[in-house]
Amino acid sequence: MNIGLRFGLRISGAATLVLAMALFILPRAGWCQEEETASPEVAVTVAKVEKTTLHTYVTAYGIVETAPARQGAAAAGARIASPIAGIVSEVPCYEGLRVEKGAVICHLDSRMAEADVAKAEQLYSMAEKTYQRQKELQASGGTSEKNYQEAETQLASARSDLAAARITLSYHRITAPISGTITRLDVRPGEAVDASSVVAEIADSTHLAAALQVPVAEAALLRAGQIVRIKTENDAAPVSCTLTSVSPQVDAASGTVTAYAVLPADTSLEPGRFVSAQIACGEHRDCLAVPEASVVKDPEEGWIIAVVKDGRATRMKVETGFRENGLVEVSAAGLSEGMTVVKVGAYGLPDDTRVRITENTETEAGE
């Protein structure tokens, strides 16, 4: 009996000790589990989803030159060629001289041409007298119809020869086809020139254009009238103008086409200046946009933003569009203007994460 009593007491004491330990350990274990499963707060900065107008641009590079011919306006530059072969007798101008349309650039020796005109004038005078005499005789029946018609034909031929001689004489006086400044002069008195030899170049610096080289893959996006922003290599303010034309000819060597943007008359850009340009070729009005830093790329889901509400950030898959001035167009079911999104810290942020806003913004979590 004593042995059994002692054994029972030992078992009872051990059970009591186990129960006490369980009562002590279980609450702490539950507390630890709760502590381990509680998600920490992630510090983030936020921004608003805004409604705005965004544009897409084609970037191009080119050179400032005289404006080409377009509807309602002649070309602002000209390369002046000699229409005939000859010897330069006089050059009454110089490079840098401003000339008006019709001003003489150079004279060719015209003595032979003048002699041809004098001879043609004499022959024309004789043919005209013969024709007048045959006409009078025909009226009185004193000549045949054949003689009259021959006189009439000779007069027409003499008139044509005289006109041709005078035109040839005019070719010896090479004139400016437009008003502008002589930028190049390639002749001197006494030099021989061939037909089609370029003797001078003229540029009207008040009518300039940017000749932009655009990759052929992007040329289909361009249309006359689109807004163009021209920039130079320095930090000067961009020059705004419009696209006037796009060449249909593709440069096989560079894979580009030439697009022209006429510059304002008061531009400070000079011919020959290298420029870059942004051509606005698309516009989305009243689209939803967020800062570019808010949109991150997930390898599996694609483009993601994190929407903040009630102190938690929820991942949302979006489609992106135009990008401009640090904003990117986004669209998704349930996305609306005024929502709060994570601006900095969205990359790698798990779904339904507790967040803490670390900067003063116009919005608070939970709005």
Side-chain angles (χ1 to χ4, degrees), residues 33-287:
Q33 183 178 4
E34 180 181 352
E35 186 175 61
E36 290 174 358
T37 57
S39 61
E41 285 187 339
V42 177
V44 298
T45 59
V46 296
K48 281 276 196 179
V49 177
E50 60 179 282
K51 186 175 288 187
T52 186
T53 297
L54 296 180
H55 302 85
T56 186
Y57 296 90
V58 167
T59 300
Y61 302 89
I63 301 294
V64 175
E65 58 183 43
T66 53
R70 61 192 189 281
Q71 186 174 7
R79 303 179 69 206
I80 306 171
S82 175
I84 58 173
I87 304 297
V88 178
S89 61
E90 184 182 1
V91 182
C93 60
Y94 52 87
E95 290 185 3
L97 177 66
R98 170 78 184 182
V99 296
E100 298 300 321
K101 180 178 179 179
V104 177
I105 302 300
C106 69
H107 289 280
L108 301 182
D109 188 336
S110 60
R111 289 173 293 179
M112 290 296 297
E114 291 171 354
D116 289 341
V117 169
K119 180 179 179 180
E121 288 177 341
Q122 184 178 14
L123 292 175
Y124 174 76
S125 178
M126 294 173 59
E128 186 177 28
K129 290 179 179 179
T130 300
Y131 169 74
Q132 291 296 334
R133 181 180 178 186
Q134 289 294 323
K135 185 177 181 180
E136 293 173 359
L137 290 173
Q138 184 192 41
S140 61
T143 188
S144 66
E145 183 67 22
K146 179 181 177 181
N147 290 339
Y148 172 76
Q149 290 181 355
E150 286 180 353
E152 187 177 37
T153 301
Q154 289 175 359
L155 177 62
S157 178
R159 183 184 295 112
S160 178
D161 290 343
L162 176 58
R166 287 173 174 172
I167 291 174
T168 300
L169 177 61
S170 70
Y171 288 159
H172 290 72
R173 185 173 176 267
I174 301 175
T175 60
I178 62 171
S179 299
T181 301
I182 299 176
T183 58
R184 181 180 174 186
L185 192 61
D186 287 339
V187 290
R188 296 179 181 179
E191 290 183 343
V193 295
D194 296 325
S196 75
S197 295
V198 175
V199 299
E201 293 183 12
I202 292 181
D204 183 357
S205 58
T206 62
H207 295 83
L208 300 177
L212 306 170
Q213 303 306 311
V214 181
V216 66
E218 299 176 322
L221 301 174
L222 305 185
R223 299 288 185 275
Q226 291 172 337
I227 301 300
V228 182
R229 292 187 298 183
I230 305 291
K231 291 193 68 176
T232 60
E233 62 275 9
N234 54 33
D235 295 328
V239 176
S240 294
C241 53
T242 57
L243 199 67
T244 52
S245 63
V246 181
S247 172
Q249 183 71 34
V250 178
D251 186 329
S254 63
T256 61
V257 301
T258 303
Y260 291 96
V262 174
L263 301 174
D266 59 351
T267 182
S268 60
L269 300 177
E270 310 91 356
R273 176 72 70 90
F274 178 80
V275 294
S276 62
Q278 283 190 316
I279 307 170
C281 57
E283 180 181 80
H284 284 178
R285 292 182 175 273
D286 297 329
C287 62

Side-chain angles (χ1 to χ4, degrees), residues 323-345:
R323 296 172 183 260
E324 183 182 11
N325 298 328
L327 295 177
V328 56
E329 178 185 5
V330 290
S331 60
L335 187 66
S336 61
E337 181 183 8
M339 281 185 168
T340 304
V341 296
V342 175
K343 181 179 180 182
V344 179

